[in-house]
Amino acid sequence: MGRWSPFRTWIRRVPRPVRDVLVAVAVVGLDLVVFSDLVLASSGTTSESSALSVLAVAGLCLVLLLPRRRFPVVVALAVCAVSAVAAAQAGFAYRPVLPVCLALGTVTSRRQGNLATLVMGASVATSLAWAQDEIRTDPKLGPADLLTVALGYVLMLLVAAGIGRWARQSRERARLLDERRREEGRQAVAVERLRLARELHDIVSHAVTVMVLQASGARRVMAADPGRAEGAMATVEETGGRAMTELRRLLGVLRADDDRPEPVAGDGADGAPLQLQLRGLDDLAALVETARASGLEVEVETRGERGRLDASVDLAAFRVVQEGLTNVIKHAGPGTRAHLTLAWSDDSLVVELTDDGRGPGHASGLSTGYGLLGLRERVSVAGGQLSTRFLEQGFEVRARLPVAAARPPVVQAESR
């Protein structure tokens, strides 16, 4: 099936009106070869006037077939009428068959019920005219063969109708699968937002706790040690600034989740919130060792001087590496080489994970991509951008995350 993927991709790039014209031209051309004397009559028995008449009827069928998607029933009935009239003409060297089959298939692919039955009845009636014309023009056939010839044409019509019905059912299945994928994607993003909200809640709660303790300590020593109290209040100011940044991110998550679905079973026992253990780049070494123990060959490269990250950004960076290594293990398998790069600059951290895709179980096309959907949501909330792409051999996950602005050092007043 994979061999046909480039062909299907190319076909989809062709505009639909152009595809309709090409199909109609191909069908009418094949019909002229099979069901007329224009091409196969090499002995020159077909007169010039007869050839022009055949081409005129073929051109009329071609023109009628062009709007078959917009007006399938009208086009099918018109083509049946033209075909029946042409087949009823004694001595006429052409009976249009394939245009009727194409029109019938279009009707069954886009309509059902009484209209489809009406067109099917008209097509069967037209096939009787085809059978009579073949009996009349073929000396090897007699009146007793009429039923056999008619059944052959009816079988062609049934095949065309079946193909059209299969196409309609395939479109419906594709639509349902697309809706399911979209719903599962929305569900994955909603679950990730829920995790984000809990984690950001923990971060903000920790910051507020630190602020309360520092403010309490400053109040107790303010009279005896003003310098120490000022240092504590400076810590409160810095921690409060970080808490406000994380709180804005938390509000962004909540506002983006206006139409969130019900919580998904499995987040915790009996729907209870999960107790999440916050992580960051300090835990990166342990994560890499775990991946190596699973059979991956992981190389880690660090560029630039490490900057300071807000807690949620630090966690997002860790999750990028975690999700990336998990996907390598899942879709490439042991023996794959992965290269992790942490590139620091004054205002950003770029996390890039690539693999060579040489593991025995490499099957990236089977991934649902929901983990990457949640990861993209997490990185976006942290103020960064995530990009993924297939390499010539392997896969790449790349995230750019903001580095927290450096704060001026706190100058503590000397105690007097």
Side-chain angles (χ1 to χ4, degrees), residues 199-317:
E199 292 166 355
L200 290 173
H201 173 268
D202 291 344
I203 293 171
V204 174
S205 298
H206 174 73
V208 171
T209 301
V210 171
M211 291 165 59
V212 170
L213 293 176
Q214 291 288 339
S216 177
R219 182 178 60 81
R220 286 197 297 267
V221 301
M222 185 176 296
D225 194 348
R228 185 178 173 188
E230 184 174 349
M233 295 307 298
T235 301
V236 170
E237 179 185 5
E238 183 177 3
T239 306
R242 295 180 187 175
M244 288 299 297
T245 301
E246 303 291 10
L247 188 58
R248 281 193 293 271
R249 289 177 180 142
L250 174 59
L251 292 175
V253 171
L254 297 177
R255 287 170 180 167
D257 205 17
D258 291 338
D259 55 348
R260 57 187 178 276
E262 294 297 322
V264 179
D267 281 353
D270 300 325
L274 290 175
Q275 297 300 319
L276 297 174
Q277 180 182 2
L278 299 181
R279 294 179 178 273
L281 293 182
D282 289 339
D283 300 303
L284 196 57
L287 178 63
V288 170
E289 287 304 318
T290 302
R292 287 171 177 162
S294 300
L296 298 185
E297 299 179 23
V298 185
E299 298 178 359
V300 181
E301 178 184 0
T302 302
R303 303 173 188 167
E305 184 178 352
R306 178 169 177 169
R308 185 177 65 84
L309 299 176
D310 291 332
S312 61
V313 180
D314 193 18
L315 177 59

Side-chain angles (χ1 to χ4, degrees), residues 27-28 31 61-62 65 79 94-104:
V27 167
V28 172
D31 195 57
C61 290
L62 176 62
L65 288 174
V79 172
Y94 177 43
R95 53 180 176 275
V97 174
L98 296 184
V100 174
C101 293
L102 177 60
L104 175 61

Side-chain angles (χ1 to χ4, degrees), residues 32-383:
L32 283 172
V33 172
V34 177
F35 295 103
S36 78
D37 296 337
L38 185 64
V39 177
L40 298 182
S42 56
S43 60
T45 56
T46 304
S47 65
E48 183 177 351
S49 60
S50 178
L52 291 176
S53 300
V54 169
L55 291 177
V57 172
L60 178 59
C61 290
L62 176 62
V63 172
L64 289 174
L65 288 174
L66 295 182
R68 66 185 185 278
R69 290 187 184 273
R70 294 186 61 187
F71 312 104
V73 176
V74 174
V75 167
L77 293 177
V79 172
C80 285
V82 171
S83 180
V85 171
Q89 300 300 314
F92 192 64
Y94 177 43
R95 53 180 176 275
V97 174
L98 296 184
V100 174
C101 293
L102 177 60
L104 175 61
T106 304
V107 170
T108 56
S109 72
R110 310 184 79 82
R111 298 287 189 272
Q112 54 184 336
N114 294 334
L115 290 177
T117 303
L118 172 65
V119 173
M120 187 66 196
S123 302
V124 171
T126 305
S127 70
L128 296 178
W130 299 338
Q132 290 176 347
D133 182 58
E134 187 164 348
I135 295 296
R136 184 172 57 245
T137 57
D138 192 339
K140 298 179 182 179
L141 300 176
D145 298 316
L146 178 62
L147 181 59
T148 303
V149 175
L151 287 177
Y153 283 121
V154 170
L155 181 61
M156 290 180 59
L157 293 174
L158 290 176
V159 170
I163 292 174
R165 184 174 180 182
W166 171 81
R168 176 166 54 83
Q169 292 174 343
S170 297
R171 283 199 309 270
E172 183 66 17
R173 282 195 299 268
R175 183 185 66 81
L176 294 176
L177 286 174
D178 185 61
E179 288 182 357
R180 176 192 273 184
R181 281 194 294 266
R182 289 175 182 272
E183 182 59 31
E184 290 175 347
R186 285 193 293 267
Q187 192 79 339
V189 171
V191 170
E192 189 64 22
R193 285 175 180 168
L194 186 60
R195 293 194 185 102
L196 273 167
R198 290 167 178 167
E199 292 166 355
L200 290 173
H201 173 268
D202 291 344
I203 293 171
V204 174
S205 298
H206 174 73
V208 171
T209 301
V210 171
M211 291 165 59
V212 170
L213 293 176
Q214 291 288 339
S216 177
R219 182 178 60 81
R220 286 197 297 267
V221 301
M222 185 176 296
D225 194 348
R228 185 178 173 188
E230 184 174 349
M233 295 307 298
T235 301
V236 170
E237 179 185 5
E238 183 177 3
T239 306
R242 295 180 187 175
M244 288 299 297
T245 301
E246 303 291 10
L247 188 58
R248 281 193 293 271
R249 289 177 180 142
L250 174 59
L251 292 175
V253 171
L254 297 177
R255 287 170 180 167
D257 205 17
D258 291 338
D259 55 348
R260 57 187 178 276
E262 294 297 322
V264 179
D267 281 353
D270 300 325
L274 290 175
Q275 297 300 319
L276 297 174
Q277 180 182 2
L278 299 181
R279 294 179 178 273
L281 293 182
D282 289 339
D283 300 303
L284 196 57
L287 178 63
V288 170
E289 287 304 318
T290 302
R292 287 171 177 162
S294 300
L296 298 185
E297 299 179 23
V298 185
E299 298 178 359
V300 181
E301 178 184 0
T302 302
R303 303 173 188 167
E305 184 178 352
R306 178 169 177 169
R308 185 177 65 84
L309 299 176
D310 291 332
S312 61
V313 180
D314 193 18
L315 177 59
F318 178 83
R319 296 297 190 205
V320 168
V321 180
Q322 185 182 48
E323 179 70 21
L325 290 176
T326 300
N327 283 339
V328 174
I329 294 172
K330 184 187 302 182
H331 303 300
T336 306
R337 294 180 181 177
H339 187 85
L340 171 64
T341 303
L342 303 176
W344 295 89
S345 63
D346 293 339
D347 59 351
S348 67
L349 164 65
V350 176
V351 180
E352 183 177 283
L353 180 67
T354 60
D355 69 84
D356 60 8
R358 294 181 180 176
H362 193 268
S364 299
L366 300 178
S367 173
T368 61
Y370 298 140
L372 294 178
L373 275 176
L375 190 62
R376 182 170 282 108
E377 180 73 13
R378 176 182 292 275
V379 171
S380 175
V381 169

